[in-house]
């Protein structure tokens, strides 16, 4: 008879909008594809050389570890988005701003351009490459902030 009994939960939770689900899945897939593409491009030996170069100095090690933490925070945000945590979309926005600002600064020579930079002849070309690289993340942010259903979902939680 448990099948016909009432549930103890009296608060109805709204369903997760499809756009939020797509955004969360896109975050996870973008990061997973990034890792797979880097592995495919560098190969196992190249990855070992990259890690070895990244830990040559304390500053490089800090930048390398910070980039890894940033990826894990982005994936954590994706799982928190499904739960309706409003702070997760703002945290994801801040990770994207931090990553874009650092890539822009490193590409212009303020940092370690040999590891984390975008190649380009001029500032305009670097900016164009940066925008093209960050375009999927900007589209995910649009899915989280622009549609009324997404905003309502985060407001209700």
């Amino acid at each position: 008879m448990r099948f016909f009994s009432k549930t103890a939960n009296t608060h109805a939770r709204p369903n997760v909008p499809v756009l939020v689900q797509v955004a969360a899945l896109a975050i996870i897939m973008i990061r997973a594809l990034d890792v797979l593409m880097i592995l495919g491009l560098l190969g196992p030996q190249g990855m070992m050389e990259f890690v070895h170069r990244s830990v040559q100095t304390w500053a490089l090690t800090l930048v390398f570890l910070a980039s890894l933490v940033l990826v894990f925070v982005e994936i954590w945000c994706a799982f928190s988005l499904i739960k309706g945590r409003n702070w997760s979309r703002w945290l994801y926005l801040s990770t994207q701003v931090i990553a874009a600002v650092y890539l822009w600064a490193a590409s212009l020579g303020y940092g370690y351009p040999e590891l984390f930079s975008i190649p380009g002849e001029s500032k305009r070309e670097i900016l164009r490459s940066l925008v093209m690289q960050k375009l999927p993340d900007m589209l995910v942010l649009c899915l989280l902030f622009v549609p009324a259903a997404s905003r309502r979902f985060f407001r209700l939680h």
Side-chain angles (χ1 to χ4, degrees), residues 1-66:
M1 292 309 288
R2 285 179 61 89
F3 182 71
F4 294 109
S5 65
K6 285 188 172 184
T7 61
N9 189 1
T10 59
H11 299 290
R13 295 184 71 121
N15 292 332
V16 180
V18 172
L19 296 176
V20 174
Q21 290 177 358
V22 168
L25 185 61
I27 293 169
I28 295 167
M29 294 305 296
I30 288 169
R31 296 303 158 241
L33 285 174
D34 281 347
V35 170
L36 287 176
M37 289 175 71
I38 290 171
L39 284 173
L41 180 68
L42 297 177
Q45 185 64 27
M47 282 300 292
M48 293 302 292
E49 290 174 12
F50 177 74
V51 171
H52 181 69
R53 274 191 324 192
S54 299
V55 295
Q56 293 296 316
T57 65
W58 283 107
L60 285 175
T61 304
L62 182 64
V63 170
F64 179 68
L65 291 176

Side-chain angles (χ1 to χ4, degrees), residues 138-153:
M138 289 189 282
L139 293 173
V140 167
L141 287 168
C142 286
L143 289 175
L144 295 174
F145 284 95
V146 174
S150 296
R151 291 191 316 259
R152 188 176 329 108
F153 173 71

Side-chain angles (χ1 to χ4, degrees), residues 64-134:
F64 179 68
L65 291 176
S67 66
L68 289 177
V69 167
L70 205 61
V71 169
F72 289 123
V73 167
E74 290 172 348
I75 293 171
W76 180 49
C77 286
F79 287 108
S80 297
L81 287 170
I82 297 296
K83 295 177 183 176
R85 309 284 196 266
N86 188 35
W87 57 263
S88 62
R89 68 182 181 147
W90 290 102
L91 182 60
Y92 182 70
L93 173 65
S94 65
T95 62
Q96 295 310 305
V97 169
I98 290 168
V101 167
Y102 182 80
L103 279 172
W104 174 253
S107 300
L108 295 179
Y110 304 107
Y112 293 96
E114 70 271 3
L115 285 179
F116 301 101
S117 67
I118 298 172
E121 297 295 322
S122 66
K123 288 182 181 180
R124 184 179 191 146
E125 189 177 315
I126 293 171
L127 181 62
R128 182 185 176 285
S129 296
L130 177 63
V131 169
M132 293 306 290
Q133 184 177 343
K134 287 296 184 183

